[in-house]
Amino acid sequence: MNNDTLKKDIRRILVICFASLLMAMNIKTFVRTGGLYPGGATGLTILIQRAAEMLFHISLPFTVINVILNSIPVYIGFRFIGKKFTLYSCLMIVLTGLFTDLIPGYVITYDTLLISIFGGLINGLAISLCLIMGATSGGTDFIAIYLSEKKNMESWNLVLVINIVILSTAGFLFGWDKALYSIIFQYVSTQVLHYVYRKYQQETLLVVTTMPEKVCAAIYEVSHHGATILRGEGAYDHSIRPTVYSIVSKAEYHKVINRIKEVDPESFVNSIRTEHLYGHFYQKRED
């Protein structure tokens, strides 16, 4: 293992530790104070804990339930996503559980709407940090990444729908007010995730340049995506204006544009958000 790889792994571990602590503090400070259900494996764990306390007067540890619920998603991760990615995710899952069981709760506010909004922001930030570092908080995140890898689709909104079903069950069992606030919590969390983590979003690039071959090479060098050279004509002077057409991941398109500008400082770049994409689109696999 070289020094760069070692530094990268240490940075990943430190960020994952911070993200797990952040998520645990969010659970103890906002989620439990507001009586919310975050959705996914975490929300299902809290639902089981509260059901056990209410029906059987038994206090179950968060860690044990959460690890059991994540066993199938972890298998999906090892089988279809990546072994190293899944190991880091297991670290996140275990640390979140331990921190949740060990750290004391602290009440900032009893306003359920504020708890739903700010708790959702923190939850989305914690999950985004994990994903950026090559890990996940477990549960439905594994399913979302699996669908994104296999179907080349941004599936976080699909996960939101799954979580709404879970929260509807909680509402039927324990009351609809907390379930509805939990939907707000989950919606805010999903929107933060959608804004911060952009790997499965795409941007269409149209580059007017006098060096189309070099621009194509620059795009491939950064993103491993190909490009198409279109032969255009300037409307004013009727000179030949080659245009390079390509689609890249939104997570790396700033790097692509910077590299294009290094190759051809005079190039004209138009970036357009890609709403739908059909056909093969290269995505770097999780390790």
Side-chain angles (χ1 to χ4, degrees), residues 24-86:
M25 291 176 62
N26 190 42
I27 292 172
K28 298 299 287 283
T29 302
F30 288 108
V31 174
R32 288 189 173 173
T33 301
L36 305 181
Y37 303 91
T42 301
L44 192 54
T45 299
I46 294 173
L47 180 61
I48 292 172
Q49 282 185 306
R50 289 175 181 166
E53 290 175 1
M54 179 179 294
L55 300 176
F56 306 106
H57 306 289
I58 299 174
S59 180
L60 298 176
F62 183 95
T63 304
V64 174
I65 303 172
N66 197 40
V67 168
I68 292 173
L69 291 177
N70 275 290
S71 57
I72 294 177
V74 165
Y75 169 77
I76 293 174
F78 270 115
R79 182 71 174 82
F80 299 106
I81 300 176
K83 292 181 174 59
K84 196 172 183 180
F85 174 87
T86 306

Side-chain angles (χ1 to χ4, degrees), residues 207-270:
V207 186
V208 181
T209 176
T210 56
M211 307 175 186
E213 289 80 9
K214 290 185 178 180
V215 168
C216 290
I219 293 173
Y220 185 82
E221 175 188 334
V222 175
S223 66
H224 296 284
H225 291 297
T228 301
I229 299 176
L230 307 175
R231 299 297 176 183
E233 179 181 333
Y236 179 73
D237 57 5
H238 300 286
S239 60
I240 300 299
R241 301 290 187 189
T243 301
V244 175
Y245 164 83
S246 185
I247 299 175
V248 300
S249 168
K250 197 165 186 176
E252 60 192 4
Y253 89 105
H254 284 297
K255 295 180 181 179
V256 173
I257 291 176
N258 290 337
R259 186 70 184 97
I260 290 171
K261 285 298 183 180
E262 290 176 4
V263 171
D264 182 9
E266 302 300 322
S267 61
F268 179 85
V269 183
N270 183 23

Side-chain angles (χ1 to χ4, degrees), residues 166-241:
I166 296 173
L167 298 176
S168 299
T169 304
F172 179 78
L173 294 174
F174 297 101
W176 289 105
D177 56 340
K178 301 301 184 182
L180 293 174
Y181 277 119
S182 298
I183 292 175
I184 296 175
F185 175 98
Q186 193 60 44
Y187 177 79
V188 173
S189 178
T190 301
Q191 295 309 306
V192 172
L193 179 62
H194 180 81
Y195 180 78
V196 177
Y197 185 66
R198 301 183 174 186
K199 178 178 178 179
Y200 297 105
Q201 301 175 36
Q202 291 88 33
E203 288 282 320
T204 298
L205 297 180
L206 293 170
V207 186
V208 181
T209 176
T210 56
M211 307 175 186
E213 289 80 9
K214 290 185 178 180
V215 168
C216 290
I219 293 173
Y220 185 82
E221 175 188 334
V222 175
S223 66
H224 296 284
H225 291 297
T228 301
I229 299 176
L230 307 175
R231 299 297 176 183
E233 179 181 333
Y236 179 73
D237 57 5
H238 300 286
S239 60
I240 300 299
R241 301 290 187 189

